[in-house]
Amino acid sequence: MSITTPIFLVFVAAVAGLYHVLPRRVQPAWLLAASYAFYISWAWEFALVLAGLTLANYMLGRFMNGRRSMLWTGVGFNLLVLAGLKYTGFFVARLPVSEGFAEFVLRFALPVGLSFLVLQAISYLVDVQRGQMEAEQDLLAFGLYLAYFPKLLSGPIERARSFLPQLRQPRLVDNAILIQAFTLILLGFFRKKVLADPLRTMIDPEVWQTPLAYGAPELFTWLLAFSFSLYNDFAGYTNIIRGVSLLFGIELTRNFQQPYFARNFTEFWNRWHISLSNWLRDYIYFPLARALRQRHAGAVLNFVLPPMVTMLASGLWHGASWNMLLWGGLHGLYQIGERLPTLWRPAIPPDQQPRARQALGMALTFILAALAWLPFQMPLEQAGQYLAGLFGGVPLIMNARILLLVVVALGLDWTQAHAKDELVFLHWRLPARAAALAFGLLALLFVLQSDTSVSFVYQGF
Amino acid sequence: MGLPEIHIKTHSLDVRLPFGKALFFATGMVLLTAFLLEGLFRLPSIQARLMPQSYLLPDAYEIKLDFMAKLPARPDCFVLGSSVAHAGIHAAQLNESLAQSDRALTCFNFAAPGAIPAEQVAIAEFVLKEYQPRVLVLMVYFGDFKERPPESQDIAWTQSVWLRYKAGQVNAQGFLIEHSTLYRYILTYRKWATHDYEKLTTDTRLGMQLFGADGSKRDTRQFEKFGLAPDPVLDAAVFRFWKGYRVSADQLTALEAIIDQTAEHGVQLIVVEAPFHRSILNYVEDPEGDYQSFIDAVSLLLAERGISFLRMEDWSVLPDEVWADRNHLNKYGADLFTDWLTGPLFDALSQP
């Protein structure tokens, strides 16, 4: 059940309808049942994996008692599950097992959303071990933390310490929250269906295999289209599920904050896939930097290792391949590079820099981030060819339709960034609000008849 | 006086209805915009600048419907058939010749690539109901009557939501296609986000240039390979197609259904054999036998039902230069064939 299908909207309406008439104490159980039903709609085998992960992590948390050995056991177990199920096909093909057994095992391979589940489970175990939260006693609540259907497929990577308290508090959905929820859902559909999908289908798919067959203007245009498509795809998804979650009175973490307006890479990672960035920062970057400081490691090592290791881990999380490692490595290098000047002079926050420098930083950050999408999207050899091709001519935008959608996407981001409020539209005067809504509805009605439908990119991780 | 307020309150929900003034006004704006665009897209001057409206039918039919809508007079004679009829009969020339007689007709070539007889049943039904013509000219081709697996048959017409709607099956999309010009244009431009959209539209526009206003194809190409013997490797697909020729019972049943439909509507049906270049027979396993089996089956069925079957006995009037390929006549061939057809057609029309 994909979240942009009518059946999902009917499912949400049915679950929310019953949720609000059920007694408060029964609501989490109902949400848990609905979440498992949702996951079973993908494959019942996935639900078994989820239940197994839930039980194991619940027990690990309960018996943690601050022991580091239990934490490492838990982290190892979760990573093993992730690696095992991600590479089931690889192992099964090389082991002397019967065809029937191999077929059975392969049905459990790479449950959708597993990478997100594993990071959430690890964050819970670490937080419990560090004493930042009590181990959850209520199996049902813990089960819902991992299985909650709006965030099950592609996050956000929620922390147990922010999610679980919401289950214990009274959750009231009133007119204001409902309007916020519907606005987020509409905004999400707009980003996904009006911006991301058409931008993706306007790219010739052959270009990822044979970039040398195209000229620089086409390569430049399609890289621009891909960059905005990927962003709006994931941001659209996050908007939709945050809106859906608000219908149950549960707030999920914001995942994007106009990342292409970032003026440096530190800022970029505070605006792109925020829940993953925060996870990497809290569980890899900070502990590593702290450990290096405690061991009095050299300044250079402390300067280079934390960002590089963190970004390489981010790459590995997206996929165990040289492409993703290179993508992560590039982002690590970008971060190290932009911090170099701080070795001899204090850093000036982007906000306090001259406007021209901010604009330059923004352009440079976008260009470098866009170039890093090349290994993210295609095999290394082709990525190299694509990069070479980009410099083989004048970078012009050759497609007016792509340019129009990029301008609309930038306009939407600029409106939100300028007001520092993603729901800025709700504060507009009624005629402007209605006109914006009418524009969104018309655009959606138009694209719903179009030949554009693309799966969510991050569902593949 | 405002709407009565409804308060829905449970322990986790506290909603007061009605709410969402912006949604109310936005819906109004959407409807108003749609209304204005609907009016705008109905203007002939606007339509002249756009691609043909889409009915979710094969492109050729959409172009033909577009052309037909612009004709000064409603056609009362339709040519049906596959691509061989589409390219082989110039309806305007037919009209011109018949206009000088007392059997004047306004014919329109509504044949299109891929429309084998099984598909023609739905097309004929549509044409008979929609246009109430006096005459149907159905062109039958040897190759179209070959037995073939069901999955290889094009059934675009029978699956069309619009035709299902017109046949009385209620469906929202069919309703919109039938009644909204705006929606038909939205469907026309539904491929706007594909990477080769510019090429698609250019190809369609170039394809449209081959269409005469009477719906027939005006192909000026000349086939250049008649002198070469068939190559078993290069022509493998053609050999495969003709291998094991048997006259399809399904296509004969379809032909019978068309005969019934025309009889029911009181419309005169005239069946014409499509000529093909004799070199086609080089690919057929039993050239004379297979071809004769087709002629016998169709002749017998038509004779039983008293339907005229017009056949060009002497194909030598169609020299190599008038073929676009082995199956299809080019513009010059269609002129010659149509010229020949006028006589037998006049005779057939004169029959009671």
Side-chain angles (χ1 to χ4, degrees):
Chain A
M1 196 191 307
S2 173
I3 68 161
T4 49
T5 53
I7 185 78
F8 179 75
L9 298 180
V10 172
F11 173 77
V12 168
V15 174
L18 196 55
Y19 172 85
H20 287 294
V21 295
L22 286 171
R24 193 185 300 282
R25 62 191 160 75
V26 185
Q27 283 177 336
W30 169 238
L31 278 183
L32 185 64
S35 298
Y36 270 85
F38 175 71
Y39 213 26
I40 287 169
S41 78
W42 286 82
W44 64 265
E45 293 87 351
F46 294 175
L48 279 186
V49 174
L50 174 62
L53 266 179
T54 304
L55 267 178
N57 282 291
Y58 172 77
M59 300 302 284
L60 282 161
R62 287 287 304 271
F63 297 105
M64 184 79 69
N65 294 328
R67 282 176 292 178
R68 289 182 81 87
S69 58
M70 284 295 279
L71 172 64
W72 287 116
T73 307
V75 171
F77 165 75
N78 282 297
L79 291 179
L80 204 66
V81 170
L82 177 63
L85 293 177
K86 216 165 184 172
Y87 300 106
T88 311
F90 176 84
F91 293 125
V92 166
R94 281 157 183 78
L95 291 174
V97 291
S98 71
E99 204 173 301
F101 180 76
E103 200 179 304
F104 174 76
V105 171
L106 282 174
R107 283 157 65 177
F108 291 84
L110 196 55
V112 60
L114 181 69
S115 307
F116 294 88
L117 281 173
V118 162
L119 289 196
Q120 289 175 97
I122 290 174
S123 76
Y124 165 75
L125 294 177
V126 175
D127 288 356
V128 169
Q129 195 277 331
R130 283 177 180 172
Q132 288 175 326
M133 67 176 290
E134 292 290 317
E136 180 58 50
Q137 304 295 312
D138 183 355
L139 176 60
L140 197 143
F142 183 73
L144 185 57
Y145 161 59
L146 284 184
Y148 186 46
F149 78 89
K151 68 173 180 65
L152 187 54
L153 302 180
S154 306
I157 300 158
E158 287 296 322
R159 304 297 174 80
R161 58 176 190 259
S162 65
F163 184 88
L164 289 170
Q166 293 192 65
L167 298 183
R168 295 185 202 108
Q169 290 162 3
R171 299 173 295 279
L172 187 68
V173 176
D174 57 14
N175 281 21
I177 290 181
L178 266 188
I179 289 174
Q180 282 179 28
F182 289 136
T183 307
L184 278 172
I185 292 171
L186 189 67
L187 206 54
F189 271 96
F190 186 84
R191 281 192 184 278
K192 169 70 178 159
K193 291 287 177 188
V194 179
L195 299 176
D197 286 359
L199 277 171
R200 179 54 81 90
T201 51
M202 282 180 199
I203 303 171
D204 186 346
E206 289 294 312
V207 75
W208 311 128
Q209 274 83 46
T210 53
L212 286 177
Y214 302 88
E218 285 156 314
L219 296 177
F220 175 75
T221 308
W222 289 333
L223 182 58
L224 186 74
F226 177 77
S227 303
F228 277 90
S229 167
L230 182 68
Y231 159 49
N232 282 287
D233 181 273
F234 200 13
Y237 160 85
T238 311
N239 279 153
I240 294 170
I241 60 99
R242 284 175 63 221
V244 166
S245 185
L246 275 184
L247 297 175
F248 305 103
I250 295 174
E251 204 170 331
L252 295 179
T253 309
R254 189 176 172 183
N255 238 353
F256 291 91
Q257 203 174 347
Q258 300 88 40
Y260 291 148
F261 289 160
R263 290 153 292 192
N264 59 43
F265 276 91
T266 309
E267 201 182 7
F268 178 84
W269 280 100
N270 283 326
R271 290 164 172 258
W272 178 276
H273 203 172
I274 297 168
S275 63
L276 174 68
S277 302
N278 290 350
W279 192 99
L280 293 166
R281 181 198 63 198
D282 293 349
Y283 301 109
I284 296 181
Y285 187 96
F286 283 161
L288 183 60
R290 244 190 329 265
L292 286 171
R293 261 201 309 276
Q294 282 165 3
R295 287 166 198 222
H296 306 292
V300 175
L301 210 58
N302 214 336
F303 187 80
V304 171
L305 268 188
M308 185 50 85
V309 171
T310 306
M311 286 295 106
L312 287 175
S314 173
L316 272 179
W317 177 82
H318 283 83
S321 64
W322 292 111
N323 306 39
M324 290 303 180
L325 268 180
L326 178 60
W327 172 74
L330 279 173
H331 275 277
L333 277 179
Y334 294 160
Q335 291 190 30
I336 293 165
E338 75 187 13
R339 283 178 205 184
L340 273 177
T342 64
L343 288 175
W344 57 84
R345 60 176 165 78
I348 306 168
D351 291 340
Q352 293 167 22
Q353 291 173 352
R355 289 243 165 151
R357 198 163 159 198
Q358 288 189 38
L360 189 69
M362 206 180 283
L364 198 63
T365 306
F366 174 75
I367 291 168
L368 290 175
L371 292 178
W373 291 132
L374 294 177
F376 185 92
Q377 170 62 13
M378 65 188 95
L380 285 181
E381 192 187 339
Q382 277 80 353
Q385 292 172 351
Y386 200 114
L387 184 67
L390 278 173
F391 295 101
V394 186
L396 293 170
I397 301 175
M398 295 298 286
N399 188 317
R401 290 170 296 134
I402 288 180
L403 183 63
L404 175 71
L405 289 182
V406 169
V407 167
V408 172
L410 281 172
L412 175 59
D413 270 13
W414 185 86
T415 308
Q416 292 177 318
H418 187 66
K420 294 188 171 69
D421 182 0
E422 64 176 329
L423 297 178
V424 53
F425 324 99
L426 296 179
H427 309 303
W428 289 356
R429 287 171 185 276
L430 181 62
R433 213 160 67 222
L437 185 55
F439 171 73
L441 290 174
L442 277 169
L444 272 172
L445 286 174
F446 179 65
V447 297
L448 286 178
Q449 298 302 329
S450 305
D451 281 358
T452 56
S453 195
V454 181
S455 310
F456 286 104
V457 176
Y458 266 72
Q459 231 156 261
F461 297 126
Chain B
M1 196 178 77
L3 291 168
E5 187 180 278
I6 302 167
H7 189 190
I8 303 170
K9 185 159 174 55
T10 69
H11 50 81
S12 62
L13 192 70
D14 185 6
V15 175
R16 287 167 197 276
L17 298 173
F19 83 99
K21 248 188 220 169
L23 181 62
F24 178 78
F25 284 112
T27 309
M29 284 182 191
V30 168
L31 292 174
L32 182 66
T33 310
F35 181 76
L36 291 174
L37 288 174
E38 180 71 39
L40 192 70
F41 282 120
R42 286 179 185 229
L43 295 174
S45 56
I46 297 290
Q47 290 188 0
R49 292 163 185 274
L50 301 172
M51 303 276 280
Q53 302 169 40
S54 174
Y55 295 80
L56 291 183
L57 292 172
D59 290 352
Y61 286 115
E62 295 185 341
I63 295 170
K64 283 172 191 247
L65 287 170
D66 194 59
F67 280 9
M68 210 159 22
K70 291 170 186 160
L71 288 177
R74 194 184 172 91
D76 55 3
C77 156
F78 281 84
V79 175
L80 300 186
S82 61
S83 55
V84 289
H86 173 46
I89 298 181
H90 285 168
Q93 189 184 333
L94 215 53
N95 296 342
E96 217 170 284
S97 305
L98 292 172
Q100 293 156 12
S101 71
D102 58 344
R103 303 283 165 197
L105 283 174
T106 307
C107 290
F108 186 83
N109 189 326
F110 204 62
I116 55 172
E119 184 84 336
Q120 292 292 340
V121 180
I123 300 170
E125 190 180 351
F126 163 74
V127 165
L128 291 169
K129 280 187 181 161
E130 190 75 11
Y131 298 100
Q132 295 98 36
R134 285 197 289 145
V135 177
L136 269 193
V137 178
L138 178 67
M139 201 176 205
V140 291
Y141 168 56
F142 174 38
D144 289 345
F145 275 73
K146 181 184 181 290
E147 199 171 73
R148 58 184 87 185
E151 64 271 15
S152 72
Q153 294 183 17
D154 192 350
I155 47 168
W157 272 77
T158 44
Q159 285 180 349
S160 158
V161 282
W162 176 56
L163 281 192
R164 288 213 302 267
Y165 173 80
K166 288 189 85 70
Q169 283 181 33
V170 180
N171 70 75
Q173 203 179 20
F175 174 86
L176 282 171
I177 293 173
E178 174 68 14
H179 298 289
S180 168
T181 311
L182 170 64
Y183 187 70
R184 291 198 293 271
Y185 276 117
I186 288 176
L187 292 180
T188 296
Y189 291 99
R190 67 188 181 277
K191 293 185 188 301
W192 68 281
T194 44
H195 69 91
D196 54 354
Y197 178 69
E198 281 81 7
K199 186 180 176 303
L200 283 175
T201 49
T202 308
D203 287 353
T204 309
R205 284 190 196 282
L206 286 176
M208 281 172 70
Q209 287 173 13
L210 293 177
F211 282 67
D214 62 348
S216 58
K217 190 177 178 185
R218 311 278 162 148
D219 196 345
T220 52
R221 287 175 304 163
Q222 286 184 6
F223 194 61
E224 292 169 347
K225 293 182 186 165
F226 286 128
L228 304 174
D231 183 320
V233 178
L234 283 177
D235 299 336
V238 188
F239 276 111
R240 261 203 309 277
F241 175 80
W242 289 103
K243 193 170 181 239
Y245 185 94
R246 279 179 58 182
V247 178
S248 160
D250 288 346
Q251 308 305 335
L252 286 173
T253 308
L255 178 58
E256 204 165 3
I258 296 170
I259 295 170
D260 291 341
Q261 285 172 340
T262 48
E264 193 184 315
H265 284 82
V267 172
Q268 185 174 4
L269 175 67
I270 297 166
V271 180
V272 182
E273 189 204 355
F276 56 88
H277 195 273
R278 284 287 161 186
S279 62
I280 280 282
L281 295 176
N282 294 337
Y283 295 87
V284 182
E285 279 179 336
D286 176 9
E288 295 308 322
D290 288 347
Y291 175 58
Q292 199 53 48
S293 68
F294 158 69
I295 292 297
D296 290 347
V298 174
S299 303
L300 183 68
L301 176 63
L302 296 178
E304 278 174 1
R305 304 295 297 266
I307 306 291
S308 306
F309 186 27
L310 312 184
R311 297 182 61 209
M312 187 186 228
E313 296 295 339
D314 180 14
W315 289 9
S316 64
V317 295
L318 302 171
D320 287 358
E321 306 86 74
V322 303
W323 292 91
D325 57 43
R326 286 193 167 91
N327 297 302
H328 303 97
L329 290 165
N330 62 22
K331 175 182 180 295
Y332 314 105
D335 282 345
L336 286 176
F337 183 74
T338 308
D339 194 36
W340 165 82
L341 181 62
T342 313
L345 188 68
F346 182 82
D347 293 342
L349 289 170
S350 305
Q351 285 174 12

